Structures are given as structure tokens and as C-alpha cells.
Amino acid sequence: MGASALAAAFLLPACGAEGGDGGAGAAAPPSPAIELRVEFFPKGTGAGGESATLTCDPVGGTHPRPEEACTALDAQADALAPVPADAVCTQIYGGDETATVNGVVHGQEVDAKFNRTNGCEIARWDALTPLLDLRR
């Protein structure tokens, strides 16, 4: 189920018939389906970095491009998983950039680390570049 469909599943019941109180007793809105903290280090973890928060469904936070980041997560959420230990990866170096992503995605805890040290890691990075690269 896509992030938008999930949001609709939560929000549509809340849009039903209003009580006579004009909505004053309405339930609190549901928690965002995605709540993340992203830390991005363009020159590696030993150098200065940037951090941002991101929510999806509804879109928000301090991320510079939250809509693009949410779209990338919706399309490539599997890229949050680490590269399997037995994966065969090309031995190419894609750059010094590193990132961490912590939080919750559709009820699942996320604690992911990203780098560009081989072909498999570069593919993960490329799938989630709108989320990971916080440069404006």
C-alpha cells in the first residue's frame, strides 16, 4: 500500500459525520506514517554534517525537499535495509558521503547507515538520494 493510500485509510474515517459539537471533541489526527531523522555528512562522518527531520502522511519536518523524500521512500523503502552480508558488489568507490536514517516507517523501527563504498551501497544511496542528500 502506498503512503497516500495509507494516509487515506487513516483520514477517511475521521472525515465522517460530525457530532453536534462542531468538531470540538474530535479525535487527535493520527501520527505520521513516517517519522525520520536524517543526518548527512558530505565529506564523511569525521567532517561537519547536516541533519533534518521528515514526516510523510502528512508531509512535513525540516527536510529541504520533503515531498521528493517521501516519494523516494514510497517507491524505494526496501533500500532502507542493509546490503546482505553475502551480496557480491562491484568494488568501486562512489565518494565520501555518508548518512544515517533513524525513526519509524509504517510502524517499523529504522536505523540505517548509508555510504558510497561499493556498487551495492551506491545503488542504495542512489535509490534514496532525495531523502539522504540534505544540500539545498
Side-chain angles (χ1 to χ4, degrees):
M1 178 181 294
S4 297
L6 185 62
F10 282 113
L11 295 176
L12 285 178
C15 295
E18 254 185 66
D21 63 0
S31 295
I34 297 173
E35 290 186 271
L36 297 173
R37 177 175 175 80
V38 179
E39 293 182 295
F40 170 67
F41 302 92
K43 297 185 188 232
T45 53
E50 300 177 44
S51 64
T53 59
L54 175 71
T55 62
C56 302
D57 295 329
V59 173
T62 61
H63 195 285
R65 293 170 311 285
E67 293 85 6
E68 290 176 39
C70 290
T71 298
L73 275 169
D74 194 35
Q76 302 288 337
D78 57 331
L80 290 168
V83 173
D86 61 349
V88 178
C89 304
T90 57
Q91 296 304 301
I92 58 174
Y93 183 71
D96 293 334
E97 296 97 339
T98 63
T100 61
V101 177
N102 301 355
V104 178
V105 174
H106 302 295
Q108 299 294 312
E109 291 287 326
V110 172
D111 184 11
K113 294 177 180 12
F114 295 85
N115 60 59
R116 299 176 55 79
T117 58
N118 63 49
C120 297
E121 295 292 353
I122 293 168
R124 284 179 71 219
W125 186 283
D126 288 351
L128 293 176
T129 295
L131 169 68
L132 302 175
D133 191 338
L134 299 177
R135 294 176 281 203
R136 295 180 185 357

